[in-house]
């Protein structure tokens, strides 16, 4: 991937050619121009690329010789967001190879093409298609390459043409044999079957065929193209959306390593949108998105770099208080500038993602009228995201927004709203049958909202409870926050303030863990009357535009405040730290400072044994990084820790708070507690990807009940980032 060096070598080779080389040594000259043109594009030298391609195209003899140059020119168009121009160029060349398509395909033509393709493979094992002979016809090979170049621009700019292009590739592979492009064709066909035709099981089988054929052929240049529609088109209809993130990172690297910058750009965008949809902590996600944007800009993939800015701005609006969170004009994105440009080039995909993001943020901040407007706008562009994860997310928030405005609508409008919600729920029910880990809690939350507006509160509560349990089980913490908030609103409407307060507390904690600081502030401001009675925490006086949240200990007369912005800043610092010792030191220091502890110990699980890796004390904050033997190997009378408590936390993987350790019935008899007589103890697990990574132990020898629920919540945010 030393593109700059390669370009210089090819350029030197061109300078050494004789003046009549196109006549005297056509093959060598053609090869040098092909490679020089491609590396010029890979280096971002667009003017040089255009000049080299123009010279070569004026001397080449056949369409087959011209294909490589047009492929590069098409990629350059797509990198700059010129989807229509890139598609038109590909279609013109395909026409010269006698591969034609209707100008405006009708649904009937698409349905007929789907049936014709199905007839080619029906009656045989899908997995057996891996053994088809290699394709030999040079015209068919050239057509496969050009069709491959046309897939992505048709998907975003001409959705009706998209399935016909993919089906033509699959037809050519089955009829004339597999080629290096075939894994990509099968993968995208799987996307269409699962995401558009809703034949999820068959689509998944074709995605598996694509993956196994890719591994057999071991052809690097097609790797990113093939893996992207698998992990951002099919996998999440059968598996957890979170399980796509790591493969997408590998897909991005494959694109960069093999010069497929177009699909590296698409992959980076889908990694960011799927990480946002699955609820990755916002500080961590913002950091990653900035890295991907910078990488894409360096690769001249500006279209996808700009699109990532949509989700970066959504995260910023959720973490930083703004006048109107649904307006995306800020540090990462400027919708006033971008929307006209996107409409001009006809980029349906990015327009959809923009309005979907605005819908999500507006709904979370309870601006329901704006949410409906953005939902309607997104619906106009949904054909540009066929089969993508964003489709299900849209159906979810579209239903929630419509049910939120239902009480104020006229009877006729209410009927229309319920009809749309029913259509969304029918799809969500189908998806939840195949992948309950992604969609079942969404279905239950919408159903709870629907039952509530219809006056069936008992049924609504049952669905809320189901949604909360499933969101917790499948680790959708940000949507669990939404469930608890909506449940609280129902109880509040019934006058059951104590129950409402409990649900709001839990919603607040989940939003805080997600990193949505601005939402936490808005939640406390909207429910000031409830939160001021909770006994632990209240709204402090607003200074400028940055309201702070006060977290007070129950035994202190002074209102000790902790600015949530500081916590988020601290968590960002943790998520960006790559040196382990520095990370451990930072975490230990932050824990001591923010928990009200006098001393602490950090243990990590290494080779299935807990080892002490850091200890710390307060006043002044001092942290010592150390290497020690496994905890269970140390003599109990020399270990300055309550081993029984730590083993319990490691086994149960749940936090334990002791307000008066010596008097605790479970752990008061521990040898260390008997000897040291600590007043307050907090011992909590550190988890990553559902597994125990380590344990944080803190104690306060002066004050009972030193570790409040709020402080535990803050520590869970910090340890999650460190994990």
């Amino acid at each position: 991937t030393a593109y700059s060096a390669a370009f210089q070598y090819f350029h030197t080779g061109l300078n050494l050619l004789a003046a009549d080389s196109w006549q005297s040594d056509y093959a060598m000259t053609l090869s040098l121009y092909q490679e020089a043109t491609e590396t010029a594009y890979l280096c971002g030298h667009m003017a040089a690329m255009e000049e080299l391609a123009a010279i070569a195209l004026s001397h080449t003899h056949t369409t087959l010789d011209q294909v490589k140059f047009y492929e590069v020119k098409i990629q350059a168009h797509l990198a700059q967001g010129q989807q229509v121009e890139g598609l038109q160029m590909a279609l013109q060349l395909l026409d010269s190879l006698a591969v034609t398509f209707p100008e405006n395909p009708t649904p009937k033509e698409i349905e007929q093409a789907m049936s014709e393709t199905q007839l080619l493979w029906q009656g045989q094992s899908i997995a057996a298609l891996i053994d088809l002979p290699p394709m030999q016809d040079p015209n068919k090979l050239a057509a496969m390459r050009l069709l491959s170049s046309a897939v992505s621009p048709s998907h975003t700019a001409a959705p009706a043409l998209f399935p016909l292009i993919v089906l033509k590739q699959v037809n050519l592979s089955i009829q004339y044999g597999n080629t290096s492009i075939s894994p990509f064709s099968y993968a995208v066909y799987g996307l269409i079957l699962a995401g558009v035709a809703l034949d999820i099981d068959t689509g998944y089988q074709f995605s598996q065929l694509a993956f196994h054929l890719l591994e057999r052929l071991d052809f690097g240049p097609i790797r990113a193209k093939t893996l992207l529609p698998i992990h951002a088109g099919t996998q999440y209809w059968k598996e957890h959306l979170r399980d796509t993130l790591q493969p997408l990172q590998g897909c991005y690297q494959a694109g960069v390593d093999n010069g497929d910058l177009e699909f590296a750009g698409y992959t980076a965008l889908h990694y960011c949108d799927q990480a946002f949809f699955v609820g990755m902590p916002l500080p961590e996600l913002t950091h990653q998105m900035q890295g991907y944007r910078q990488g894409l800009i360096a690769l001249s993939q500006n279209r996808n770099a700009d699109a990532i800015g949509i989700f970066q701005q959504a995260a910023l609006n959720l973490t930083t208080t703004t006048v109107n969170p649904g307006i995306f004009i800020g540090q990462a994105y400027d919708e006033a500038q971008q929307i006209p440009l996107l409409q001009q080039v006809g980029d349906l995909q990015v327009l959809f993602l923009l309005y979907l993001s605005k819908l999500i943020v507006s709904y979370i901040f309870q601006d329901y009228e704006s949410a409906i407007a953005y939902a309607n706008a997104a619906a106009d562009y949904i054909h540009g995201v066929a089969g993508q994860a964003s489709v299900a997310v849209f159906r979810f928030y579209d239903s929630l927004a419509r049910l939120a405005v239902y009480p104020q609508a006229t009877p006729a409008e209410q009927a229309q709203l319920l009809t749309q919600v029913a259509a969304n729920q029918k799809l969500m029910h189908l998806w939840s049958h195949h992948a309950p880990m992604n969609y079942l809690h969404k279905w239950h939350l919408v159903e709870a909202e629907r039952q509530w507006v219809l006056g069936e509160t008992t049924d609504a509560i049952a669905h809320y409870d189901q949604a909360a349990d499933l969101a917790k089980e499948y680790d959708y913490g940000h949507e669990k926050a939404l469930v608890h908030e909506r449940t609280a609103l129902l109880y509040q409407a019934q006058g059951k303030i104590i129950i409402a307060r409990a649900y709001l507390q839990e919603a607040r904690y989940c939003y805080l863990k997600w990193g949505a600081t601005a939402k936490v502030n808005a939640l406390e401001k909207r429910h000031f009357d409830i939160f001021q009675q909770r006994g632990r925490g209240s709204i402090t006086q607003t200074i400028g535009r940055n309201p702070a949240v006060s977290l007070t200990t129950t035994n202190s007369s002074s209102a000790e405040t902790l600015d949530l912005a500081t916590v988020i800043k601290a968590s960002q610092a943790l998520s960006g730290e790559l040196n382990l010792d520095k990370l451990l030191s930072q975490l230990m220091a932050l824990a001591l400072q923010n928990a009200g502890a006098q001393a602490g110990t950090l243990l990590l699980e290494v080779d299935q044994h807990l080892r002490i890796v850091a200890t710390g004390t307060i006043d002044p904050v001092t942290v010592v990084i150390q290497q020690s033997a496994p905890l269970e190997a140390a003599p109990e009378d020399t270990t300055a820790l309550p081993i029984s408590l730590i083993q319990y936390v490691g086994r149960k993987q749940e936090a334990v708070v002791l307000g008066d350790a010596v008097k605790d019935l479970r752990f008061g008899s521990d040898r260390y507690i008997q000897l040291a007589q600590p007043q307050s103890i907090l011992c909590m697990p550190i988890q990553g990807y559902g597994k125990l990574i380590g344990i944080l132990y803190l104690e306060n020898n002066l004050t009972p009940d030193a570790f409040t629920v709020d402080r535990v919540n803050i520590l869970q945010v910090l340890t999650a980032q460190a994990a």
Side-chain angles (χ1 to χ4, degrees):
T1 57
Y3 300 136
S4 295
F7 175 69
Q8 292 301 322
Y9 286 127
F10 290 130
H11 197 268
T12 300
L14 290 174
N15 289 334
L16 293 172
L17 289 172
D20 66 344
S21 63
W22 283 108
Q23 291 75 40
S24 61
D25 197 347
Y26 180 83
M28 171 66 78
T29 306
L30 175 65
S31 181
L32 275 173
Y33 269 93
Q34 286 176 333
E35 301 298 341
T37 301
E38 183 175 20
T39 51
Y41 159 72
L42 293 171
C43 293
H45 304 328
M46 297 303 176
M49 180 273 293
E50 291 287 357
E51 181 181 356
L52 290 165
I55 293 171
L57 290 171
S58 67
H59 288 89
T60 45
H61 302 324
T62 67
T63 301
L64 292 177
D65 290 344
Q66 295 174 345
V67 165
K68 180 67 174 180
F69 300 101
Y70 281 111
E71 282 182 317
V72 176
K73 287 170 69 69
I74 291 167
Q75 288 179 353
H77 278 302
L78 303 184
Q80 304 306 313
Q82 299 165 352
Q83 312 294 308
V84 174
E85 292 85 345
L87 178 60
Q88 288 175 342
M89 184 175 290
L91 293 177
Q92 288 171 2
L93 283 162
L94 284 165
D95 189 64
S96 68
L97 292 171
V99 178
T100 59
F101 298 95
E103 187 172 343
N104 295 299
T106 64
K108 185 176 181 180
E109 288 173 320
I110 296 172
E111 185 178 345
Q112 181 179 348
M114 290 284 289
S115 298
E116 291 172 356
T117 299
Q118 186 174 347
L119 287 173
L120 291 176
W121 58 261
Q122 206 166 34
Q124 60 181 310
S125 166
I126 293 172
L129 295 176
I130 196 173
D131 295 320
L132 289 172
M135 185 180 292
Q136 302 292 342
D137 188 318
N139 284 309
K140 299 297 185 291
L141 288 167
M144 286 289 288
R145 287 169 56 182
L146 288 168
L147 287 164
S148 179
S149 294
V151 167
S152 57
S154 67
H155 187 262
T156 57
L161 191 58
F162 166 70
L164 297 184
I165 290 173
V166 176
L167 293 170
K168 179 65 72 174
Q169 282 190 299
V170 174
N171 294 351
L172 290 173
S173 294
I174 295 175
Q175 291 172 315
Y176 298 95
N178 286 329
T179 177
S180 58
I181 303 293
S182 296
F184 175 54
S185 309
Y186 293 136
V188 183
Y189 183 45
L191 179 154
I192 293 172
L193 287 170
V196 182
L198 301 179
D199 186 354
I200 291 173
D201 289 332
T202 305
Y204 190 75
Q205 289 181 60
F206 268 98
S207 75
Q208 294 301 296
L209 166 66
F211 181 79
H212 293 307
L213 181 57
L214 175 69
E215 295 302 304
R216 175 181 290 189
L217 296 175
D218 193 24
F219 183 55
I222 203 66
R223 190 166 188 84
K225 276 186 170 63
T226 303
L227 293 178
L228 179 61
I230 293 174
H231 302 307
T234 309
Q235 184 180 355
Y236 41 71
W237 301 121
K238 295 286 286 186
E239 303 174 35
H240 201 299
L241 182 61
R242 189 177 302 278
D243 294 339
T244 67
L245 299 183
Q246 188 172 352
L248 283 172
Q249 289 177 315
C251 181
Y252 171 80
Q253 195 60 49
V256 173
D257 289 347
N258 291 285
D260 191 352
L261 304 188
E262 176 195 352
F263 272 77
Y266 296 140
T267 301
L269 171 58
H270 283 299
Y271 173 85
C272 293
D273 70 39
Q274 289 175 205
F276 181 76
F277 297 148
V278 85
M280 179 182 286
L282 294 172
E284 177 185 354
L285 179 57
T286 302
H287 178 75
Q288 290 190 14
M289 287 192 289
Q290 184 61 26
Y292 277 116
R293 288 190 74 187
Q294 291 173 348
L296 293 184
I297 290 170
L299 297 173
S300 299
Q301 298 296 310
N302 298 323
R303 181 263 189 184
N304 290 301
D306 290 340
I308 289 172
I310 293 171
F311 295 96
Q312 198 173 355
Q313 192 62 53
L316 290 171
N317 286 10
L318 286 161
T319 57
T320 307
T321 302
T322 60
V323 176
N324 189 338
I327 300 298
F328 283 20
I329 298 178
Q331 178 183 340
Y333 200 77
D334 186 344
E335 65 175 60
Q337 181 182 18
Q338 290 290 330
I339 289 175
L341 296 176
L342 294 169
Q343 291 173 335
Q344 181 181 346
V345 299
D347 198 329
L348 306 182
Q349 181 193 34
V350 177
L351 283 165
F352 176 83
L353 293 175
L354 171 59
Y355 285 113
L356 171 60
S357 301
K358 288 163 67 66
L359 159 62
I360 293 171
V361 174
S362 296
Y363 181 82
I364 288 174
F365 282 95
Q366 295 181 262
D367 181 1
Y368 302 132
E369 292 297 333
S370 295
I372 286 291
Y374 298 141
N376 291 335
D380 291 338
Y381 303 109
I382 196 169
H383 298 298
V385 291
Q388 295 179 16
S390 54
V391 173
V393 177
F394 168 74
R395 297 295 180 188
F396 175 52
Y397 279 96
D398 181 64
S399 292
L400 292 177
R402 294 185 190 284
L403 290 168
V405 301
Y406 179 91
Q408 290 76 42
T410 66
E413 291 170 338
Q414 288 179 338
Q416 292 177 342
L417 292 169
L418 290 177
T419 298
Q420 181 60 52
V421 170
N424 290 342
Q425 283 291 80
K426 183 178 180 180
L427 287 170
M428 198 67 70
H429 189 268
L430 171 68
W431 295 326
S432 64
H433 172 73
H434 291 278
M437 71 291 293
N438 294 323
Y439 310 112
L440 189 54
H441 69 281
K442 292 179 173 68
W443 183 87
H444 276 291
L445 177 54
V446 172
E447 194 61 19
E449 294 281 295
R450 190 180 73 87
Q451 295 289 350
W452 183 14
V453 301
L454 295 177
E456 302 293 339
T457 55
T458 301
D459 290 340
I461 290 170
H463 284 293
Y464 281 131
D465 290 343
Q466 279 280 85
D469 290 343
L470 290 165
K472 178 181 179 181
E473 179 181 353
Y474 296 124
D475 198 18
Y476 278 88
H478 64 310
E479 290 173 354
K480 180 185 171 188
L482 204 57
V483 174
H484 285 313
E485 183 181 5
R486 301 305 301 179
T487 309
L489 294 180
L490 183 149
Y491 281 115
Q492 187 179 28
Q494 292 182 323
K496 299 178 180 179
I497 303 303
I498 294 176
I499 302 176
R501 182 184 303 133
Y503 278 103
L504 283 174
Q505 288 271 47
E506 187 64 23
R508 177 185 176 279
Y509 162 63
C510 292
Y511 282 127
L512 181 61
K513 192 173 181 181
W514 187 28
T517 324
K519 171 58 181 178
V520 172
N521 289 338
L523 190 70
E524 295 219 16
K525 185 176 180 180
R526 179 180 291 271
H527 301 285
F528 180 84
D529 56 331
I530 290 180
F531 278 108
Q532 70 176 346
Q533 302 173 35
R534 65 191 177 132
R536 291 179 181 175
S538 60
I539 300 295
T540 62
Q541 181 180 3
T542 300
I543 302 175
R545 291 187 177 181
N546 297 310
V549 177
S550 169
L551 304 180
T552 62
T553 58
T554 56
N555 63 319
S556 174
S557 59
S558 63
E560 182 186 36
T561 63
L562 181 62
D563 188 346
L564 287 182
T566 302
V567 175
I568 297 304
K569 185 177 180 181
S571 68
Q572 287 176 319
L574 287 171
S575 66
E577 182 55 68
L578 299 179
N579 181 280
L580 180 60
D581 286 352
K582 290 181 179 179
L583 176 63
L584 297 175
S585 182
Q586 275 190 316
L587 176 60
M588 192 77 253
L590 287 167
L592 290 167
Q593 291 168 333
N594 292 314
Q598 287 184 298
T601 302
L602 186 60
L603 304 97
L604 291 186
E605 189 172 74
V606 181
D607 298 329
Q608 297 184 330
H609 295 285
L610 284 169
R611 294 175 180 266
I612 298 173
V613 295
T615 58
T617 55
I618 201 77
D619 294 330
V621 176
T622 304
V623 178
V624 177
I625 304 298
Q626 59 190 61
Q627 299 287 338
S628 70
L631 182 67
E632 57 268 29
E636 188 175 356
D637 58 353
T638 63
T639 302
L641 289 172
I643 293 180
S644 64
L645 170 60
I646 289 171
Q647 289 176 335
Y648 176 87
V649 170
R651 185 171 64 255
K652 291 289 189 178
Q653 296 196 36
E654 60 184 33
V656 172
V657 178
L658 305 182
D660 190 342
V662 177
K663 295 180 180 179
D664 186 82
L665 295 177
R666 292 177 299 172
F667 306 108
S669 60
D670 183 276
R671 181 175 177 81
Y672 169 77
I673 293 177
Q674 287 292 313
L675 292 173
Q677 298 280 302
Q679 289 277 327
S680 302
I681 288 178
L682 165 60
C683 190
M684 62 187 297
I686 302 173
Q687 296 172 312
Y689 301 104
K691 298 179 180 179
L692 182 71
I693 291 177
I695 289 177
L696 176 64
Y697 172 84
L698 301 173
E699 67 178 41
N700 186 312
N701 293 324
L702 299 177
T703 308
D705 299 314
F707 303 114
T708 66
V709 172
D710 286 320
R711 293 194 177 279
V712 175
N713 291 346
I714 295 299
L715 288 175
Q716 286 181 320
V717 173
L718 296 177
T719 56
Q721 292 305 311

